[in-house]
């Protein structure tokens, strides 16, 4: 039996919808798969760089994780699994505490295991269980503190490397993200990286090396880390072969490696699982609205599949994965939901993973370029938490919502810590998340019934939270569903998300 049935003898009529179990001709399917690669590509290799991991390996494992996801959900939920941005702050905290890339991978592996377990629980208990445990007030707070906790990373690490390039790239991100419509806006981060990369190369040729802060340059001879250096250093690119497996970790070169497990670092990372659950839940809901297929029973499978993909990816030293909203936009624009296109995209990504030359080019991205991207990106992560509150009508006049969320956010953003033992300290994102979740349910337990009922009037989570800056709300999803029925283009959300940004 064929994995996909040929849609309408290979003919795609205007306004027609291609279901997940269908496909077009293989030529058209390969073309659609290429679109999905472009849509996910920028974020999938940018985030590993920010986490100090190998981007070539991350792209390869994103393809592997996508194939696993499609198999676990039995081809019913079209999705691409790319690198997750939610762990950037976790990686930064681990490095600041003296950890290594192996510690980062180990901590994120535990998150994959936790996500796998949560998915199993949801599969057995039903999708409503997640909304009772993590209501919009809590989910929004966790997403917000994850984003705003990253502000010092930009201020102390990326921006000082080349402030003027960072400023230009920041402006390019804003102009492309807001001023351009359609597909180009969907890959604004990727295009901004290319612009910044080219600008840095031109400045090296015109004005020569720059004297600025350089990560890894701190030494007894240069305690501040301020040294003279080229913005774009391609010495590793020239030495890298065109074809081959991603390199192993050796010295200062981070490649594939086995994770090093540590409970201390794992507890720093585990709160991020809340954000991943929100991402996956929203993604399945969006796909269900767009395709018209009931997918609640696939919710647990989808979360389990993401957890399994993350475990395998982090097990070899890549970052964890998550479902990507960029690819939802591609589906909404084309009305082609065929999982065959995602299989093509996954195979192409795996092919990129076998080019060390590609990995070296990506790893040479100048720090100033990353600074310009991250100053917008991290803020957008935080503000997506506020969007969750707004879309769900969270009432902060109610102390059941206000008090626990206020405490958790300040702890997370301020990077406040709590020393548990002489060897273990809980702080930042982890402590803020624990405080938010525990205090919220404690507040509900002791609050008068009138306050609890008032807090319950807010609806369920209706935000599809994915890669920062790439999200789809229900207005957009409803527009896509309407487009499916009428053949008209999907309308944009008020925020201008995804396809119409």
């Amino acid at each position: 039996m064929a994995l996909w049935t040929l849609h309408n003898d290979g003919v795609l009529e205007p306004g027609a919808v291609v279901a997940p179990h269908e496909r077009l001709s293989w030529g058209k399917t390969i073309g659609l798969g290429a679109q999905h690669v472009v849509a996910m590509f920028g974020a999938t290799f940018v985030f590993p760089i920010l986490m100090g991991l190998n981007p070539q390996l991350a792209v390869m494992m994103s393809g592997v994780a996508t194939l696993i996801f499609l198999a676990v959900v039995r081809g019913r939920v079209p999705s691409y699994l790319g690198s997750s941005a939610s762990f950037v702050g976790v990686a930064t905290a681990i490095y600041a505490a003296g950890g290594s890339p192996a510690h980062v991978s180990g901590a994120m592996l535990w998150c994959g295991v936790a996500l796998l377990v949560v998915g199993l629980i949801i599969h057995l208990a039903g999708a409503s269980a997640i909304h009772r445990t993590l209501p919009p007030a809590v989910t929004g707070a966790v997403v917000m503190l994850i984003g705003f906790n990253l502000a010092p990373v930009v201020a102390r690490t990326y921006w000082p490397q080349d402030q003027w390039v960072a400023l230009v790239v920041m402006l390019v991100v804003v102009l492309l993200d807001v001023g351009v419509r359609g597909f180009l806006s969907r890959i604004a981060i990727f295009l901004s990286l290319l612009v910044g990369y080219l600008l840095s190369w031109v400045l090296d040729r015109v004005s020569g090396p720059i004297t600025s802060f350089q990560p890894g340059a701190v030494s007894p001879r240069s305690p501040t880390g301020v040294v003279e250096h080229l913005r774009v250093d391609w010495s590793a690119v020239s030495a890298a072969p065109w074809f081959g497996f991603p390199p192993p970790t050796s010295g200062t070169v981070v490649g594939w490696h086995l994770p090093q497990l540590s409970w201390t670092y794992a507890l720093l990372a585990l709160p991020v699982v809340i954000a991943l659950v929100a991402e996956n839940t929203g993604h399945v809901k969006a796909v269900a609205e767009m395709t018209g297929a009931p997918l609640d029973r696939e919710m647990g499978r989808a979360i389990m599949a993401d957890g399994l993909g993350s475990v395998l990816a982090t097990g070899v030293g890549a970052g964890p994965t998550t479902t990507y909203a960029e690819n939802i936009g591609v589906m909404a624009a084309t009305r082609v939901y065929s999982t065959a296109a995602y299989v093509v995209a996954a195979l192409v990504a795996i092919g990129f993973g076998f080019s060390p030359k590609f990995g070296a080019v990506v790893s040479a991205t100048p720090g100033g370029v990353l600074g310009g991207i991250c100053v917008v990106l991290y803020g957008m992560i935080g503000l997506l938490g506020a969007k969750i509150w707004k879309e769900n009508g969270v009432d902060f006049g109610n102390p059941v919502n206000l008090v626990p969320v206020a405490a958790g956010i300040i702890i997370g953003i301020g990077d406040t810590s709590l020393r548990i033992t002489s060897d273990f300290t809980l702080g930042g994102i982890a402590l803020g998340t624990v405080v938010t979740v525990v205090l919220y349910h404690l507040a509900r337990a002791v609050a008068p019934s009138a306050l609890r009922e008032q807090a319950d009037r807010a609806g369920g989570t209706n935000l599809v939270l994915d890669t920062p800056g790439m999200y789809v709300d229900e207005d957009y999803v409803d527009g896509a569903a309407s487009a499916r029925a009428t053949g008209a283009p999907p309308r944009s959300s008020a925020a201008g998300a995804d396809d119409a940004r």
Side-chain angles (χ1 to χ4, degrees):
M1 179 179 178
L3 291 176
W4 301 277
T5 59
L6 186 62
H7 172 82
N8 195 31
D9 293 326
V11 178
L12 182 61
E13 298 178 346
V17 173
V18 180
H21 67 277
E22 296 179 320
R23 68 168 177 85
L24 299 174
S25 67
W26 281 114
K28 293 178 181 177
T29 298
I30 291 173
L32 289 165
Q35 287 190 74
H36 284 299
V37 170
V38 174
M40 68 82 186
F41 191 74
T44 296
F45 80 71
V46 168
F47 298 139
I49 296 175
L50 302 181
M51 290 186 284
L53 301 175
N54 186 286
Q56 176 192 356
L57 182 64
V59 170
M60 172 187 283
M61 292 308 298
S62 75
V64 174
T66 298
L67 294 178
I68 292 172
F69 180 92
L70 295 174
V72 173
V73 300
R74 301 170 292 178
R76 297 182 180 182
V77 184
S79 179
Y80 193 91
L81 265 61
S83 301
S84 173
S86 301
F87 291 90
V88 174
V90 170
T92 302
I94 291 174
Y95 290 135
S100 65
H103 287 117
V104 172
S105 300
M108 294 187 295
L109 186 147
W110 282 117
C111 290
V113 173
L115 193 62
L116 182 61
V117 173
V118 169
L120 178 60
I121 293 173
I122 293 174
H123 182 66
L124 297 176
S128 61
I130 193 63
H131 299 304
R132 291 194 300 269
T133 306
L134 300 173
V138 171
T139 306
V142 172
V143 173
M144 178 172 284
L145 66 87
I146 286 173
F148 291 159
N149 179 267
L150 298 172
V153 179
V154 177
R156 299 172 188 170
T157 302
Y158 295 123
W159 194 274
Q161 293 184 50
D162 196 336
Q163 60 178 1
W164 293 110
V165 167
L167 182 64
V168 171
V169 172
M170 179 191 71
L171 293 174
V172 173
V173 173
V174 174
L175 292 175
L176 289 176
D177 209 27
V178 178
V180 178
R181 297 292 178 181
F183 182 73
L184 291 180
S185 69
R186 215 179 290 136
I187 57 171
I189 292 175
F190 177 56
L191 293 178
S192 301
L193 185 144
L194 294 180
V195 170
Y197 210 129
L198 179 60
L199 175 62
S200 297
W201 181 83
V202 170
L203 289 175
D204 280 344
R205 299 300 177 274
V206 174
S207 60
I210 186 174
T211 300
S212 67
F213 172 74
Q214 183 78 339
V218 178
S219 66
R221 297 181 60 183
S222 180
T224 62
V226 176
V227 296
E228 185 179 69
H229 61 93
L230 289 172
R231 297 169 181 84
V232 180
D233 181 6
W234 268 28
S235 57
V237 176
S238 59
W242 280 103
F243 302 102
F245 198 76
T249 296
S250 177
T252 59
V253 177
V254 179
W256 62 266
H257 55 266
L258 294 178
Q260 188 169 343
L261 304 180
S262 165
W263 279 112
T264 299
Y265 295 137
L267 290 175
L268 287 175
L270 283 172
V272 181
V273 172
I274 295 175
L276 297 182
V277 171
E279 290 175 7
N280 281 275
T281 301
H283 183 92
V284 173
K285 183 176 180 181
V287 172
E289 291 288 343
M290 295 169 70
T291 62
L295 294 176
D296 275 356
R297 292 186 178 181
E298 302 300 323
M299 190 81 72
R301 286 179 176 270
I303 295 174
M304 282 192 292
D306 190 11
L308 179 58
S310 294
V311 168
L312 292 178
T314 53
V316 296
T321 59
T322 189
T323 50
Y324 263 29
E326 294 96 321
N327 299 92
I328 286 184
V330 173
M331 289 191 293
T334 62
R335 302 183 192 87
V336 177
Y337 308 111
S338 172
T339 54
Y342 281 100
V343 170
V344 170
L347 294 176
V348 171
I350 293 171
F352 272 124
F354 283 99
S355 177
K357 184 79 72 178
F358 157 77
V361 171
V362 174
S363 297
T365 304
V369 176
L370 298 178
I373 291 173
C374 291
V375 74
V376 178
L377 198 63
Y378 294 168
M380 291 176 78
I381 297 174
L383 291 178
L384 281 174
K387 180 170 173 59
I388 292 177
W389 294 334
K390 176 181 179 295
E391 294 295 330
N392 289 277
V394 177
D395 179 13
F396 283 110
N398 189 330
V400 172
N401 293 327
L402 177 65
V403 176
V405 166
I409 286 179
I410 290 299
I411 287 175
I413 295 176
D415 212 19
T416 304
S417 61
L418 179 67
R419 185 176 293 276
I420 307 298
T421 69
S422 58
D423 299 322
F424 174 65
T425 299
L426 192 64
I429 294 172
L431 181 59
T433 299
V434 171
V435 167
T436 301
V437 175
V438 173
L439 286 190
Y440 178 85
H441 289 287
L442 177 62
R444 282 187 58 87
V446 302
S449 58
L451 289 181
R452 287 199 301 271
E453 292 171 2
Q454 183 183 356
D456 288 339
R457 292 194 188 107
T461 301
N462 67 353
L463 178 69
V464 182
L465 171 66
D466 262 282
T467 304
M470 305 291 184
Y471 60 89
V472 183
D473 63 26
E474 281 199 337
D475 287 339
Y476 177 81
V477 173
D478 288 344
S482 175
R484 184 184 69 250
T486 64
R491 70 181 184 271
S492 66
S493 70
D498 256 324
D499 184 53
R501 285 186 312 122

